[in-house]
Amino acid sequence: MQIALQLAAQAAAAGEVPVGAVVVKDGVVIGTGSNCPIQSCDPSAHAEMQALREAAKALGNYRLEHCTLYVTLEPCAMCSGAMLHARLKRVVFGATDAKTGCAGSVLDLFGQRQLNHQTEVEGGVLADPAAALLQTFFRGKREQCKRLALPLREDALRTPERFFAQLAGYPWEANYVHDLPALAGLRMHYIDEGPRDSERVMLCLHPVPGWSYSYRSEIAGWLGQGARVLMPDLIGFGRSDKPKRGDVHSAEFHILCLAQLMERLDLHGVVLVSRHTPHWLADGLRALAPERIQGSLVLALPTSQDKADGAAQEAPFPDAGHRAALRAFAAQGLR
């Protein structure tokens, strides 16, 4: 069940409902699965189904007699039926599911004596950590829905989410903040990945034109080194709100927004990442919050850009009204 919990955590990190499953025979793991119906566009891709498929391939037999399946959440009707068809000897689950659970909560498919196979069931094993994963996941989803529902100021535009769908190499969860004093109700988007207690925070200052997508190629390497990675979109760029008037976009305004975001997230050990040197944002942040800054990193500009990458860079700006920040930055010589 500990392995299943790890798999559930991996599902949560991928934006899926956190459920993990493991099939064991004679003390050996022969199949594992994480919930992935969203990523695979497959309604049957529950963790249990994934684990059953892998175990059946390992044994070369669709019948999994003398096997035990461990799963972090009480199985649904589909998965319970598959387990019975697989002739599993035993099913062990963690948290109960009061809405779709079919091992006793809503239905008890395993208790139907008319069926030609009987599978032993044990529930409540490591139920607390399994339930905590689910509660944390759905709490985050509810908070995200509230943030996404934030009313848009009348003097601003918001790029519809459909323009960011299916972007290659950009799978990270969107975070938003709107209640920083400098924002005055505008919604600011940022990516925040990696351990919150990391001693090194890579704060990526996107080039102009550009947005947080500009650093998608580097983020995996930094995360692999144990760093926390923060990729904000300046107001007027990316997924952040876009004021219609260009006079909003002073250097002081953008520096203050980022400084207040650093304070809100209580960032320390910050490495300011940019693609230009000197960089006006980096200089401004060092002046406002020197105690939070550890150093700077200047990356080379990409040498080439393919058609798909060019389209992705243009995604936040579907019409002229969304491009006020680009025009204002060009007029001020900011990049």
Side-chain angles (χ1 to χ4, degrees):
M1 189 64 83
Q2 291 284 6
I3 297 173
L5 285 168
Q6 293 172 12
L7 292 165
Q10 291 174 18
E16 303 276 1
V17 175
V19 182
V22 174
V23 177
V24 175
K25 183 176 184 182
D26 299 328
V28 177
V29 174
I30 60 171
T32 61
S34 295
N35 220 32
C36 61
I38 299 172
Q39 287 187 327
S40 61
C41 297
D42 180 359
S44 72
H46 287 195
E48 303 98 310
M49 302 296 285
Q50 303 291 86
L52 288 172
R53 289 166 182 154
E54 193 172 287
K57 288 181 180 179
L59 295 181
N61 192 338
Y62 75 97
R63 289 193 172 167
L64 304 177
E65 296 174 331
H66 310 298
C67 294
T68 298
L69 185 145
Y70 297 86
V71 60
T72 57
L73 181 66
E74 181 181 357
C76 67
M78 174 184 69
C79 295
S80 298
M83 294 170 193
L84 290 166
H85 282 299
R87 306 288 179 91
L88 284 174
K89 179 181 179 181
R90 184 165 170 252
V91 172
V92 180
F93 68 86
T96 56
D97 186 347
K99 294 184 176 180
T100 64
C102 287
S105 290
V106 178
L107 299 173
D108 186 5
L109 292 181
F110 298 99
Q112 303 303 311
R113 296 301 164 187
Q114 305 95 313
L115 296 174
N116 63 347
H117 175 76
Q118 303 300 311
T119 295
E120 301 172 26
V121 179
E122 179 182 358
V125 176
L126 295 183
D128 289 344
L133 272 173
L134 290 158
Q135 290 164 359
T136 300
F137 177 82
F138 285 113
R139 186 185 306 119
K141 288 295 182 183
R142 288 192 294 271
E143 290 173 355
Q144 184 181 25
C145 287
K146 289 179 182 178
R147 292 193 297 270
L148 289 171
L150 179 72
L152 179 65
R153 277 180 21 178
E154 290 185 2
D155 62 344
L157 297 171
R158 185 173 292 167
T159 305
E161 280 300 306
R162 68 178 184 275
F163 288 96
F164 302 106
Q166 311 301 323
L167 286 182
Y170 195 75
W172 303 288
E173 180 180 358
N175 298 277
Y176 295 94
V177 61
H178 69 277
D179 56 351
L180 301 177
L183 292 176
L186 292 169
R187 192 181 74 172
M188 186 178 193
H189 166 261
Y190 62 97
I191 302 294
D192 189 0
E193 296 289 327
R196 298 300 182 265
D197 58 351
S198 177
E199 295 181 356
R200 186 162 55 111
V201 181
M202 312 301 289
L203 175 55
C204 301
L205 309 174
H206 67 72
V208 177
W211 55 295
S212 56
Y213 185 83
S214 302
Y215 290 101
R216 72 199 179 285
S217 300
E218 288 84 8
I219 185 171
W222 292 325
L223 293 174
Q225 296 169 9
R228 181 178 178 180
V229 181
L230 195 76
M231 302 192 302
D233 286 328
L234 298 179
I235 292 296
F237 297 87
R239 283 175 157 163
S240 292
D241 284 353
K242 299 171 177 64
K244 299 175 186 178
R245 290 167 42 210
D247 58 6
V248 172
H249 298 289
S250 67
E252 293 75 16
F253 167 72
H254 290 288
I255 291 167
L256 188 57
C257 289
L258 289 181
Q260 290 179 359
L261 179 63
M262 289 170 58
E263 182 179 3
R264 169 65 59 83
L265 299 177
D266 195 24
L267 301 182
H268 294 276
V270 173
V271 177
L272 299 171
V273 182
S274 67
R275 295 196 184 274
H276 298 285
T277 185
H279 196 288
W280 57 277
L281 276 173
D283 291 343
L285 290 173
R286 275 191 291 267
L288 276 184
E291 73 284 357
R292 298 183 184 275
I293 309 300
Q294 183 182 77
S296 299
L297 174 65
V298 179
L299 301 178
L301 286 166
T303 56
S304 63
Q305 180 173 278
D306 59 28
K307 185 178 294 186
D309 186 67
Q313 293 292 356
E314 287 295 314
F317 314 109
D319 60 44
H322 294 85
R323 305 178 73 88
L326 288 170
R327 293 190 292 270
F329 272 56
Q332 299 177 65
L334 300 175
R335 57 176 187 166

